[in-house]
């Protein structure tokens, strides 16, 4: 996680009331963060830190494309991401996170935003990841169709109660 050092912000060292940071997020970032939901991507995050009396507002704006796995064909797909988020940071005794409020130890005064940015990206991506119509891997779709047909036939045969089949025989002899 050595290349994630740039995401650590020294709140005590901020000189002005508003400070801006820009982060480019690429495949190396997602690998370093240990991402499981997002495999990679090309995104940018703009962070504005507003400093007031003992409270810091962190305003995040992230946009770009993230690479996720399609739930249907299991191929990689690009997912557009645009998200705005706000976090309030205060100084305290120990590190605590409570929703959108974070308390950082006053003696350190450093907040690491690497994981926060990743969480914002994941929350901005729809739960279901599916390619647009016609973009899924055709070989995988064909295999899925075959397996679904086999499974459907097996369950259809297994689900018929033998008593009903006897009634069907009786019904055909009556006609």
């Amino acid at each position: 996680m050595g290349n994630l050092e740039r995401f650590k912000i020294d709140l005590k060292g901020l000189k002005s009331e508003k400070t801006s940071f820009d982060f480019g997020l690429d495949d190396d970032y997602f690998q370093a963060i240990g991402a499981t939901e997002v495999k990679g991507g090309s995104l940018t995050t703009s962070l504005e830190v507003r400093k007031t009396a003992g409270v810091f507002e962190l305003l995040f704006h992230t946009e770009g494309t993230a690479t996720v796995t399609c739930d249907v064909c299991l191929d990689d797909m690009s997912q557009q991401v645009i998200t705005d988020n706000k976090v309030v940071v205060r100084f305290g005794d120990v590190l605590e996170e409570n929703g959108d409020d974070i308390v950082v130890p006053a003696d350190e005064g450093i907040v690491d935003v690497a994981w926060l940015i990743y969480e914002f990206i994941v929350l901005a991506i729809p739960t279901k990841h599916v390619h647009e119509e016609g973009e899924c891997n055709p070989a995988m779709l064909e295999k899925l169709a075959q397996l679904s047909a086999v499974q459907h036939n097996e369950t259809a045969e297994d689900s018929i109660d033998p008593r009903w089949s006897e009634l069907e025989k009786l019904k055909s002899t009556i006609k």
Side-chain angles (χ1 to χ4, degrees):
M1 279 210 191
N3 61 355
L4 296 178
E5 287 297 315
R6 63 189 172 112
F7 293 95
K8 292 183 179 180
I9 299 172
D10 183 5
L11 298 174
K12 286 182 165 182
L14 297 179
K15 303 292 183 217
S16 61
E17 290 181 12
K18 287 186 183 179
T19 307
S20 296
F21 299 90
D22 290 313
F23 303 106
L25 311 174
D26 56 10
D27 295 345
D28 293 336
Y29 163 78
F30 291 104
Q31 185 177 11
I33 199 90
T36 55
E37 285 282 321
V38 181
K39 293 180 161 189
S42 176
L43 298 106
T44 57
T45 296
S46 300
L47 169 61
E48 183 178 302
V49 180
R50 295 180 183 166
K51 181 170 101 172
T52 58
V55 177
F56 299 86
E57 280 187 331
L58 280 63
L59 305 170
F60 297 86
H61 175 76
T62 304
E63 64 180 88
T65 56
T67 304
V68 294
T69 303
C70 177
D71 292 337
V72 176
C73 71
L74 303 179
D75 279 357
D76 288 348
M77 63 175 277
S78 294
Q79 179 67 53
Q80 189 69 26
V81 174
I82 299 175
T83 183
D84 290 303
N85 305 90
K86 176 183 170 184
V87 174
V88 176
V89 179
R90 293 179 175 82
F91 291 133
D93 295 329
V94 294
L95 180 64
E96 290 182 53
E97 287 190 36
N98 185 13
D100 292 338
D101 291 338
I102 298 175
V103 177
V104 296
D107 57 333
E108 291 177 18
I110 295 175
V111 63
D112 187 350
V113 297
W115 189 255
L116 288 172
I117 293 170
Y118 175 71
E119 286 180 338
F120 297 148
I121 293 168
V122 170
L123 290 173
I125 295 173
T127 307
K128 189 173 181 180
H129 316 138
V130 181
H131 280 109
E132 294 291 325
E133 181 96 18
E135 291 184 18
C136 273
N137 182 338
M140 183 61 88
L141 292 178
E142 185 178 321
K143 188 69 173 170
L144 274 170
Q146 290 172 356
L147 291 173
S148 294
V150 168
Q151 186 178 17
H152 177 70
N153 289 341
E154 288 175 359
T155 56
E157 291 172 7
D158 294 343
S159 65
I160 297 176
D161 188 334
R163 294 174 289 183
W164 288 112
S165 60
E166 291 299 317
L167 286 173
E168 284 296 325
K169 289 179 190 174
L170 181 63
K171 183 178 169 185
S172 64
T173 57
I174 292 177
K175 288 184 182 178

